Amino acid sequence: MSAEATNPGNPDTARSRRGLPRPALHGLRRIGRAALLGPAPRGGLPDALEHVAKVHRGHHPHADLAILAKAYTLAESSHRGQMRKSGEPYITHPLAVTLILAELAAETTTLTASLLHDTVEDTEVTLDQVRAEFGAEVRYLVDGVTKLEKVDYGAAAEPETFRKMLVATGHDVRVMSIKLADRLHNMRTLGVMRPEKQVRIAKVTRDVLIPLAERLGVQALKSELEDLVFAILHPEEYAATRRLLRAHADRRDPLAVLAARMRTVLTDAGIDAEVRLRPRHLVSVHRVRRARGELTGADLGRILVLVPEDADCYAVLGELHTCFTPVVSEFKDFIAAPKFNLYQSLHTAVAGEAGEIAETLIRTHQMHRVAEAGVIALGNPYAAPVDGADTPDGERADPTRPGWLSRLLEWQRATPDSDTFWSSLRDDLAQDREITVFCTGDTAPGGRTAGARPVGLPAGSSCVDGAYALHGEDAHRCIGARVNGRLATLSTVLCDGDSLQLLLGPDAAAGPSPEWLDHTRT
């Protein structure tokens, strides 16, 4: 991935003060020092892997570290003599990428592939060698993130590389997880590059990688990528936002007062809950400032309440709405109807005694892990459940093929030209947002009703799109719909969270109406 060198000018200080999830600097420094000394096994584990192993074992206590040690040994010997632009050994890059993924609780196979992700591209290691030593899964992941050569593809190398990664991601989302972590470390260390190259890489990150991180639910990576892109592409607004945060840093935090009151209320109610302050990242503060104008201290963060079980979320909501003044228009239930990227939470807002408004998120600890790490938190999508256990709540049966990804894959197959693919991909990612529509009681002949379930659709979809997503070719018989309980035309554009009831006619041989083509999104 030809990573860029460490840049001390990156906005690490502000990021750390805001509490954004990122690997500890002492861990990265330790990796750098150990990498300078080579593998140096101690007790079977190279020194450079110690911090990664500690983080990984924190999430996976029974992880087999031998495979990681073997992957590191191959990566270090293969990259030996290669240096980054800062003068650091190149091995510090795959180590840093692996640490990023380890902190997001990635499983061992992903970490193994991340250690090796540049070996095939930049060294003499072959994919056959990777398969022989680490298995077909690791080989697939390494191949998925390996760039295509410019000597073979010329100017089409970058778009064709992304096409290849999308196709690979369609079979295993861990490919894009590694790519996102790789891009994050490269963005953190972009400062030694020429300004024009920084801008070019930042624009690709903004147009392609950040939307993909959003769709895969990897909020921890998406937030930091947004801030790093913000600093490069909008330096004046970035500086102004940092000044705003510094101006509020020494003031009394109204959210801290409200959070303390919430802890007391929930403790008195006998609810086991953890109440945290969640500062907004820089881009989020900038967006809120543009939307609301003058900001108060309460606008610079949100309150996060974590509980053990789903039912506890609603118990917390009841207590907060009883003991504080709720802002009813701010309530959203993403537990009953999760977002397309697996996100689940209750959103509400309550007013304090001084009139300050505190946006509040309520979720379980498992929901929080998925909200931060998205598909990375789901682990190996192909691993069989242990002892026949059911899929954990909040996970899709097949998280590797969400609706938006299937659409992208179908669309890219019909776009063979590289330039058209590249421009259309960026446009599509910029515009395409998925909504969740709750389909309830679809009525068929004889009064039979189907069970209610959430259906993911691209933004701008009509009732016709919903009918085909739910019924396939049986949607040919659709004669009407109710949206949020009211009769609606089939051309009605649906919104996120809408309730949709479809009415099916009795004629099994009915065909679709030609005019439906005028108002379909899918």
Side-chain angles (χ1 to χ4, degrees):
M1 296 292 157
S2 300
E4 285 72 47
T6 300
N7 173 24
N10 277 339
D12 290 332
T13 303
R15 191 159 51 241
S16 298
R17 184 175 62 245
R18 293 190 307 278
L20 287 175
R22 62 185 303 276
L25 287 176
H26 71 271
L28 293 177
R29 295 189 184 108
R30 185 184 309 161
I31 284 174
R33 288 195 298 271
L36 286 170
L37 301 175
R42 186 174 65 195
L45 192 67
D47 289 347
L49 266 184
E50 282 188 341
H51 189 62
V52 172
K54 181 179 179 181
V55 172
H56 186 42
R57 275 281 172 86
H59 295 290
H60 303 278
H62 305 294
D64 178 12
L65 300 182
I67 190 72
L68 292 182
K70 182 180 178 182
Y72 171 76
T73 300
L74 176 60
E76 192 280 331
S77 62
S78 301
H79 288 297
R80 192 175 299 162
Q82 295 178 350
M83 309 298 287
R84 306 187 77 216
K85 292 186 182 297
S86 63
E88 295 172 305
Y90 192 85
I91 189 62
T92 58
H93 169 65
L95 274 170
V97 172
T98 304
L99 180 58
I100 290 170
L101 291 168
E103 292 216 334
L104 294 175
E107 40 70 57
T108 308
T109 301
T110 301
L111 301 190
T112 302
S114 67
L115 283 169
L116 299 168
H117 79 271
D118 275 344
T119 54
V120 174
E121 180 181 321
D122 293 335
T123 77
E124 298 301 316
V125 174
T126 66
L127 288 171
D128 288 341
Q129 183 179 351
V130 172
R131 180 200 290 271
E133 296 193 34
F134 301 96
E137 270 189 81
V138 173
R139 180 215 181 272
Y140 185 86
L141 297 177
V142 172
D143 184 31
V145 295
T146 298
K147 288 181 183 177
L148 299 173
E149 295 290 343
K150 286 189 176 181
V151 294
D152 297 324
Y153 289 86
E158 185 172 37
E160 289 303 324
T161 293
F162 272 97
R163 187 199 296 266
K164 174 190 171 189
M165 288 181 188
L166 273 178
V167 173
T169 299
H171 295 286
D172 194 328
V173 289
R174 293 176 293 179
V175 170
M176 193 56 66
S177 299
I178 296 171
K179 176 59 183 176
L180 290 170
D182 169 80
R183 179 53 61 95
L184 176 56
H185 185 245
N186 284 341
M187 286 296 298
R188 285 177 179 173
T189 60
L190 201 57
V192 296
M193 306 300 293
R194 299 187 310 275
E196 60 271 20
K197 188 168 185 179
Q198 291 187 40
V199 169
R200 183 185 68 78
I201 294 173
K203 285 182 177 178
V204 173
T205 303
R206 176 196 63 191
D207 297 343
V208 179
L209 273 304
I210 288 174
L212 287 172
E214 167 72 16
R215 283 155 177 72
L216 293 173
V218 194
Q219 186 67 28
L221 302 189
K222 171 182 173 284
S223 298
E224 190 174 348
L225 284 171
E226 284 185 325
D227 282 355
L228 292 166
V229 167
F230 187 35
I232 293 171
L233 299 184
H234 304 284
E236 293 182 1
E237 291 92 336
Y238 173 82
T241 306
R242 290 195 65 186
R243 287 195 298 270
L244 174 65
L245 290 175
R246 283 197 297 268
H248 282 271
D250 296 328
R251 300 180 186 176
R252 174 176 172 272
D253 188 352
L255 289 182
V257 177
L258 276 172
R261 287 185 58 201
M262 286 184 183
R263 290 187 190 99
T264 301
V265 166
L266 297 177
T267 299
D268 291 345
I271 299 174
D272 179 16
E274 179 182 349
V275 181
R276 302 181 185 175
L277 294 180
R278 190 168 176 80
R280 294 184 185 273
H281 65 104
L282 281 167
V283 170
S284 179
V285 172
H286 176 66
R287 288 172 180 159
V288 171
R289 187 183 189 185
R290 291 180 62 184
R292 302 178 186 174
E294 191 69 25
L295 298 184
T296 67
D299 295 318
L300 302 181
R302 292 183 285 189
I303 295 176
L304 173 64
V305 182
L306 299 176
V307 293
E309 304 292 339
D310 290 14
D312 298 327
C313 295
Y314 295 96
V316 169
L317 181 72
E319 290 298 324
L320 295 186
H321 281 199
T322 299
C323 300
F324 297 86
T325 302
V327 181
V328 179
S329 61
E330 294 295 317
F331 174 68
K332 294 179 182 178
D333 188 343
F334 293 117
I335 295 179
K339 288 187 177 181
F340 69 93
N341 60 1
L342 310 177
Y343 177 87
Q344 288 184 289
S345 280
L346 296 179
H347 287 206
T348 189
V350 297
E353 294 178 346
E356 67 277 18
I357 304 298
E359 295 181 34
T360 305
L361 312 177
I362 307 168
R363 59 179 72 141
T364 67
H365 293 278
Q366 169 63 12
M367 291 175 190
H368 183 58
R369 285 190 289 270
V370 174
E372 289 295 296
V375 295
I376 299 175
L378 303 185
N380 183 349
Y382 308 109
V386 178
D387 298 327
D390 295 332
T391 301
D393 291 341
E395 296 184 14
R396 292 172 184 254
D398 182 10
T400 67
R401 291 299 290 270
W404 63 266
L405 181 55
S406 294
R407 288 195 299 273
L408 272 183
L409 292 172
E410 292 170 6
W411 163 78
Q412 69 83 24
R413 282 194 290 268
T415 315
D417 178 69
S418 296
D419 290 339
T420 303
F421 165 77
W422 192 228
S423 59
S424 299
L425 174 65
R426 296 164 83 145
D427 290 343
D428 192 77
L429 288 173
Q431 297 173 10
D432 185 28
R433 294 291 185 272
E434 190 156 319
I435 61 173
T436 298
V437 175
F438 200 65
C439 295
T440 61
D442 305 328
T443 303
R448 176 176 55 84
T449 58
R453 67 184 177 104
V455 174
L457 296 169
S461 292
S462 67
C463 295
V464 173
D465 295 296
Y468 280 97
L470 194 63
H471 294 295
E473 291 189 2
D474 283 346
H476 293 345
R477 298 187 289 119
C478 192
I479 58 175
R482 292 179 182 271
V483 177
N484 299 325
R486 297 185 178 184
L487 285 173
T489 63
L490 292 177
S491 62
T492 299
V493 175
L494 299 168
C495 297
D496 193 37
D498 276 350
S499 172
L500 174 64
Q501 180 184 13
L502 297 165
L503 311 175
L504 303 181
D507 186 3
S513 171
E515 68 182 30
W516 290 358
L517 292 173
D518 296 332
H519 45 257
T520 55
R521 176 70 173 82
T522 57

